[in-house]
Amino acid sequence: MLTDKITAYKPKLSGHTELRFQRNMNRQVALIAGNVMANGFTEQSGVSARVYSGGYWGFSSAAEYDDASIASVLRAAERNAEFLTSRLGSPRPALPALPPRKLTSKITGYNDAEQKYLLDFAKEIDARIVEKYPKLTSRTISARSDCTDKYLVTSDGADVYSVKPRSGVIAVLTAEAADGSNVEVFDYLGGGAGFFGELFTKPDLLYAKLDEVYEHVMKKAEGVFASAGTAEVVMDSNLAGILAHEAIGHTVEADLVLGGSVAGPFLGKPVASEIVTLTDFAHTALGADLPQSVFVDDEGTVAKDAELIKDGVLVGYMHNRESAERFGHEPTGNARAYCFSDEPLIRMRNTAILPGKDKLADMIASVDDGYYLVQTGNGQADLTSEFMFGVTMGYEIKKGKLGRAIRDTTISGVAFDLLKTVTMLSDEMTWASGGMCGKKQQIAVGMGGPSVKCRVNIGGK
Amino acid sequence: MADVKQTLYDAAQYALDRAKALGADGAEVSVSTGNRTDELNVDAGEFSLMRTTFGSAVTVSVIAGQKYGGSATNKTDRGSIDKTVENAIEAAKASDADEAQQIAPDMGERESKQGSGATEPDLDAIYDRMSEFLADTKREYPKLDVMQFISRFRRSNKLYANSSGTRFFTERAWYSASAEFSARDGDEVSSMFGAGLNAADFNRPLLGYPFVRRAVEMMEPQLKTQPVQGKFTGTLLCSPDVAAELISSALSNAVGSASIIQKTSPWLGKVGEVVADPRLTLIADPDETRVLFPEKFTDDGFVNEREEVIGNGLLTGFKLGLYGSLKTGLPRAKNDGYFESLTLGTKTYGEMLAGIENGLLVYRFSGGSPAQNGDFSGVAKNSFLIKNGKIAGAVSETMISGNVFELLKNIVDIGSEPDLDGSSALPFISFGGVTVSGK
């Protein structure tokens, strides 16, 4: 048993050493216009060691699990830390040891559906599209599942085993617009934390959402271009999640604060409207399990919620053990690694703006001339908190009523300025966990929020 | 190295034999082993981490009864290969028959050695170059904050093999450096920017690369930015990276295999027609000497040849692999890359700038993928207003919008000075008729 082998190494670890075994599995199917264009399963696994000495980290990894390989990565990690201390000295003391902690996740093994299940599921949805929506010019259906399975032991007593499955089904529907060009709408038909076979039992449970995506794309085909400039908007919860993650979240990751984020001088100061509270949750929130639950992170720290903005005031950062020590804060358990060959970095887990008290219908009714932004394709931001989100589905709001759909556009702004313009938050929220965040390594993240009424720059003609 | 090569040949043959034994009519495998990366990291201006990773990879694609399936692992032992082939066969059995699913014919045995001939990293050279960059920038550009800075030596060995008999062996070794930085003055912080390069050796100071110095030099002026007031139509003077990004997004929508198979490309039926300014010729060339790793082989088992997807403004064809070609009945591309160089123009960056009356100098574009019809919009980051041929200050909260297909026809100038970063050889390009909007 691999677990027995790993446990045997636990008492042999000295100094500040982490030893991690990890397996990433990924199963994917994609049908483009009915053609099977992706159909496969990928598995990557291996062992890594990380050593902290004198203020520097040494890391090494290898694909093999045998004793020689484990000994080799431990030696290489030590040697790498020594390379840096031999040139730079040892300016920092050891990180404080944590109390011993042991944790095994509720899910204890990989138990996903086979390739045929995903393929048949996708084919049934594709057949439904062909039968029910003949006006479409093309369609893509993608079904995927991934699972991370890891075991971490550390020299200061962490002994942690976790299994994290995630699955999703995506539809991209394409229709011809009046000008002869093609427009498309992309959306998740369903998904979240869990094995594919557990989350997706029958394709017809997704048909209501599929109808909704079809309705959007047909309205978009008759859509108009947004008018470039600053506008009052209601962002659907899909966009609130990416605002929380991309535009604010990255600026308050402690390593990026050390790197010069604009949020550095704002700690303890008002940065948003008083109705805005934003938290990076570890595993549960508002009574529900979250899509990217982290109970103990990849440094062996017991994870806790990182409260970032409370009632409009910036109150904290997300930390790993080293950044917490430098700031004199408590570690929050945000150190995460994507693959066995990756070192843990400060990463978000489940980042969300908390819901308010308003009804979405009242929010739309309160806008005289603006936009209701429904779906985003991608988002980017930098350490000034200036952000950009692609908007792939939205509607005009005219005198409090939804109007024509708009074609693809982009919104932008400075997030810490935008948050001060927030006047209404809806009383419901949704979570999404289909995407990956890129920061040296990619990693699965959860993000969520309510609908948000604010002012933003919008691209157009 | 001979041992590694033989290991790859043995593993590939074993996988192909297993696939045949399990019922595959044809198969292709890619096997890689003996890969090693040595990496030094700087975070927040200080050395933080040194990494050494060892890696392997096996990718198997099978066709059984005209059905396709694939699988991959990062281990080369026989048990892992068995399991990977079985997964690929299982996937194929679950799929639909498609007569376009075929394995490329026998292209013979080829070998490519690229980059440095080194087998071991010169760690002192990596450390010294990084220390030098930190010291040089601290001295010459005191307001520069180096946020993350990573340098690597990488070595990889890969064999592509298929059941028709093709064997392509590729051996690579190289150094790379990438840095992200911003400028800071008290609580004022600029937008972040970066520079990166691949090189056969680390014999040259990083600030000695003109595009690295240019990137560092333009940070401090970005501490004071202003949004563009209102909206105007003007000329974008795009850095090589931004120009390549805009052109590539047009190509993805118009010549990429997915858009041709789905028949959503606006260029369907336009081969031989004008799609761009006649000065634009985009070149993908496996013998390009200014690039460290020009791709010698396609992913589906063919030898890359020189190809201009757009030649003198005319569309020459689509980027279809074997599957896309058989699926659509259109010719297979001779090179599966879009471009890594283009025919240079005659003007220097300074001459291009001097010719722009009203426009924007754009070093980074932060935008969504263009719509199928080519419409795009996004934020001009690390950008400067141009008035009467001169830089008139850094901008913030400024958006640009237009249509990528129209951009190709509205080229104002193509520069004469390519950035040579080891990955491409591309110059500044200016495009007219773009909407610039601020507050």
Side-chain angles (χ1 to χ4, degrees):
Chain A
M1 287 280 288
L2 179 61
T3 49
D4 295 337
K5 183 189 281 281
I6 297 161
T7 305
Y9 272 89
K10 201 171 149 188
K12 298 178 189 171
L13 303 179
S14 60
H16 181 133
T17 303
E18 301 157 2
L19 185 64
R20 177 163 45 93
F21 298 75
Q22 184 168 338
R23 185 168 61 139
N24 289 50
M25 288 148 289
N26 197 311
R27 193 180 290 283
Q28 189 169 18
V29 161
L31 300 180
I32 299 181
N35 300 295
V36 180
M37 301 286 279
N39 179 28
F41 175 78
T42 299
E43 178 173 329
Q44 280 201 317
S45 62
V47 58
S48 67
R50 191 170 73 145
V51 169
Y52 187 77
S53 174
Y56 303 104
W57 294 100
F59 179 92
S60 184
S61 70
E64 289 74 28
Y65 291 129
D66 57 82
D67 287 330
S69 178
I70 296 168
S72 169
V73 298
L74 282 165
R75 263 199 316 275
E78 280 172 22
R79 200 172 53 234
N80 285 344
E82 282 167 15
F83 178 93
L84 289 170
T85 53
S86 70
R87 280 153 180 81
L88 295 157
S90 300
R92 295 191 193 97
L95 296 174
L98 298 172
R101 55 274 181 216
K102 183 171 175 68
L103 182 129
T104 298
S105 70
K106 285 182 256 180
I107 307 168
T108 54
Y110 181 65
N111 180 29
D112 205 3
E114 294 187 343
Q115 196 75 18
K116 183 172 173 17
Y117 187 90
L118 273 72
L119 198 51
D120 288 347
F121 200 94
K123 283 198 280 192
E124 203 166 325
I125 294 172
D126 190 64
R128 160 90 177 186
I129 293 170
V130 171
E131 180 196 342
K132 196 168 177 206
Y133 314 130
K135 290 182 182 169
L136 293 178
T137 52
S138 191
R139 75 280 177 194
T140 297
I141 294 295
S142 170
R144 57 130 191 90
S145 66
D146 57 61
C147 183
T148 303
D149 176 349
K150 60 176 88 169
Y151 193 169
L152 171 77
V153 290
T154 68
S155 53
D156 66 350
D159 186 334
V160 183
Y161 176 68
S162 69
V163 180
K164 283 185 200 161
R166 186 176 74 140
S167 307
V169 175
I170 298 165
V172 186
L173 303 186
T174 310
E176 188 172 302
D179 62 5
S181 65
N182 282 295
V183 297
E184 64 181 29
V185 172
F186 152 106
D187 210 342
Y188 279 87
L189 300 182
F195 291 116
F196 194 93
E198 295 166 356
L199 294 188
F200 298 102
T201 53
K202 290 180 185 172
D204 55 10
L205 296 176
L206 306 183
Y207 291 166
K209 180 68 180 176
L210 191 62
D211 288 343
E212 195 183 301
V213 181
Y214 176 72
E215 191 182 335
H216 281 318
V217 75
M218 296 314 288
K219 285 184 175 168
K220 189 173 174 181
E222 297 168 356
V224 295
F225 291 100
S227 179
T230 304
E232 192 162 45
V233 303
V234 175
M235 290 184 187
D236 191 77
S237 53
N238 286 322
L239 279 82
I242 202 165
L243 177 72
H245 173 97
E246 202 69 56
I248 299 293
H250 282 302
T251 68
V252 287
E253 292 171 326
D255 52 341
L256 299 186
V257 173
L258 287 167
S261 157
V262 71
F266 292 167
L267 192 62
K269 295 180 183 172
V271 293
S273 156
E274 288 178 2
I275 63 173
V276 175
T277 290
L278 194 155
T279 301
D280 181 61
F281 292 101
H283 43 74
T284 42
L286 308 174
D289 289 343
L290 296 180
Q292 281 302 314
S293 56
V294 174
F295 289 88
V296 178
D297 76 0
D298 293 336
E299 291 182 335
T301 301
V302 175
K304 62 179 190 179
D305 297 343
E307 205 166 43
L308 305 170
I309 296 174
K310 185 173 173 54
D311 302 329
V313 176
L314 183 67
V315 294
Y317 304 136
M318 288 168 275
H319 285 292
N320 61 14
R321 291 173 72 171
E322 188 181 22
S323 72
E325 183 66 11
R326 287 215 200 177
F327 280 92
H329 297 174
E330 289 291 313
T332 50
N334 281 87
R336 303 176 64 201
Y338 172 65
C339 184
F340 75 92
S341 56
D342 291 323
E343 75 279 15
L345 304 176
I346 296 177
R347 308 305 299 264
M348 284 173 259
R349 301 157 305 188
N350 306 280
T351 317
I353 297 172
L354 272 75
K357 295 176 180 171
D358 299 297
K359 298 292 178 195
L360 176 60
D362 295 339
M363 294 167 72
I364 292 170
S366 72
V367 176
D368 186 53
D369 185 9
Y371 298 96
Y372 173 46
L373 307 175
V374 178
Q375 186 59 269
T376 176
N378 68 326
Q380 295 174 358
D382 69 15
L383 298 187
T384 62
S385 90
E386 189 177 12
F387 68 91
M388 173 292 304
F389 303 151
V391 175
T392 54
M393 192 65 225
Y395 293 88
E396 292 176 327
I397 305 176
K398 298 288 182 189
K399 297 192 185 310
K401 307 240 179 256
L402 290 184
R404 297 170 296 181
I406 56 171
R407 302 281 283 264
D408 290 332
T409 187
T410 303
I411 58 169
S412 68
V414 174
F416 284 119
D417 292 344
L418 178 146
L419 289 183
K420 290 174 183 149
T421 73
V422 173
T423 52
M424 297 173 92
L425 295 171
S426 71
D427 59 0
E428 31 57 67
M429 73 180 290
T430 57
W431 286 96
S433 68
M436 303 294 277
C437 169
K439 177 185 170 185
K440 190 178 180 192
Q441 315 148 16
Q442 58 174 349
I443 205 153
V445 289
M447 55 184 83
S451 295
V452 178
K453 183 183 166 191
C454 59
R455 291 191 70 81
V456 70
N457 300 328
I458 189 160
K461 292 199 172 176
Chain B
M1 195 51 61
D3 288 347
V4 170
K5 189 174 171 185
Q6 192 56 51
T7 301
L8 293 176
Y9 269 72
D10 292 346
Q13 191 59 53
Y14 180 79
L16 291 170
D17 290 345
R18 285 297 299 155
K20 189 175 179 185
L22 291 175
D25 303 313
E28 58 185 4
V29 300
S30 174
V31 189
S32 181
T33 196
N35 303 332
R36 175 176 171 160
T37 300
D38 289 272
E39 174 188 297
L40 264 171
N41 286 239
V42 164
D43 288 290
E46 297 176 2
F47 281 98
S48 57
L49 165 74
M50 184 167 177
R51 302 169 77 229
T52 306
T53 61
F54 304 92
S56 301
V58 177
T59 304
V60 177
S61 299
V62 300
I63 294 166
Q66 297 184 322
K67 298 176 178 181
Y68 161 80
S71 188
T73 178
N74 66 330
K75 294 178 177 53
T76 55
D77 65 273
R78 296 300 185 257
S80 296
I81 291 176
D82 285 347
K83 197 172 156 193
T84 304
V85 173
E86 285 161 19
N87 287 334
I89 292 282
E90 182 208 326
K93 283 182 178 167
S95 190
D96 294 336
D98 183 343
E99 59 185 19
Q101 293 290 5
Q102 293 185 21
I103 298 295
D106 186 2
M107 302 297 291
E109 194 165 351
R110 310 248 180 164
E111 192 164 315
S112 167
K113 293 191 177 182
Q114 297 177 316
S116 159
T119 54
E120 293 293 325
D122 185 343
L123 296 175
D124 289 324
I126 297 176
Y127 177 82
D128 290 345
R129 281 286 169 244
M130 293 180 79
S131 301
E132 176 186 64
F133 180 79
L134 293 172
D136 289 351
T137 52
K138 192 171 184 178
R139 187 179 63 252
E140 295 185 48
Y141 307 97
K143 290 182 180 166
L144 194 81
D145 257 1
V146 178
M147 294 151 51
Q148 188 170 64
F149 179 21
I150 299 170
S151 286
R152 298 185 175 108
F153 172 81
R154 299 178 84 165
R155 195 183 69 213
S156 70
N157 311 281
K158 187 174 103 172
L159 178 73
Y160 168 91
N162 66 25
S163 50
S164 304
T166 302
R167 299 291 184 269
F168 295 154
F169 175 67
T170 306
E171 184 184 310
R172 289 176 172 173
W174 75 103
Y175 290 87
S176 67
S178 66
E180 285 183 353
F181 34 76
S182 60
R184 172 174 286 281
D185 191 5
D187 287 351
E188 296 284 329
V189 58
S190 78
S191 188
M192 64 184 187
F193 193 62
L197 59 90
N198 291 317
D201 58 55
F202 256 174
N203 294 339
R204 188 173 168 190
L206 298 177
L207 275 181
Y209 289 86
F211 59 91
V212 176
R213 183 172 285 280
R214 182 181 72 219
V216 167
E217 210 159 53
M218 65 151 189
M219 295 312 294
E220 191 177 326
Q222 292 178 58
L223 281 166
K224 301 288 179 201
T225 60
Q226 285 204 322
V228 166
Q229 296 301 311
K231 184 160 71 171
F232 70 89
T233 301
T235 299
L236 290 191
L237 177 52
C238 295
S239 72
D241 286 346
V242 173
E245 184 181 346
L246 292 171
I247 294 171
S248 296
S249 61
L251 295 180
S252 176
N253 280 12
V255 303
S257 61
S259 67
I260 305 303
I261 290 169
Q262 293 189 84
K263 300 189 173 69
T264 54
S265 164
W267 288 356
L268 272 178
K270 291 192 175 177
V271 173
E273 292 184 18
V274 173
V275 293
D277 184 281
R279 290 168 294 173
L280 187 68
T281 294
L282 301 173
I283 304 163
D285 184 355
D287 297 319
E288 171 58 71
T289 54
R290 295 170 296 178
V291 171
L292 206 55
F293 307 124
E295 290 294 342
K296 300 287 186 186
F297 313 117
T298 71
D299 288 340
D300 57 356
F302 292 92
V303 176
N304 269 328
E305 299 173 48
R306 189 181 194 278
E307 186 170 60
E308 299 168 357
V309 66
I310 294 176
N312 299 318
L314 303 177
L315 177 67
T316 66
F318 301 111
K319 287 294 175 184
L320 294 167
L322 178 62
Y323 175 81
S325 170
L326 293 171
K327 195 76 194 167
T328 61
L330 295 167
R332 187 182 63 77
K334 291 178 184 168
N335 191 305
D336 63 355
Y338 284 164
F339 64 98
E340 74 277 321
S341 72
L342 49 75
T343 302
L344 296 173
T346 56
K347 290 186 180 172
T348 64
Y349 159 79
E351 290 166 340
M352 293 169 78
L353 175 66
I356 297 172
E357 194 178 328
N358 206 18
L360 208 59
L361 169 60
V362 184
Y363 280 105
R364 185 156 65 95
F365 173 66
S366 177
S369 301
Q372 276 289 341
N373 71 348
D375 287 339
F376 74 93
S377 60
V379 182
K381 305 285 291 181
N382 309 105
S383 297
F384 299 84
L385 195 62
I386 303 172
K387 289 280 183 195
N388 302 316
K390 293 198 167 71
I391 301 290
V395 299
S396 58
E397 297 189 74
T398 297
M399 297 188 80
I400 52 179
S401 54
N403 182 287
V404 286
F405 300 119
E406 293 303 314
L407 287 187
L408 298 183
K409 292 177 178 169
N410 291 339
I411 289 174
V412 176
D413 280 314
I414 297 174
S416 59
E417 307 151 308
D419 280 355
L420 301 177
D421 62 3
S423 300
S424 60
L426 299 169
F428 277 79
I429 301 179
S430 53
F431 303 96
V434 179
T435 302
V436 179
S437 59
K439 287 206 156 178

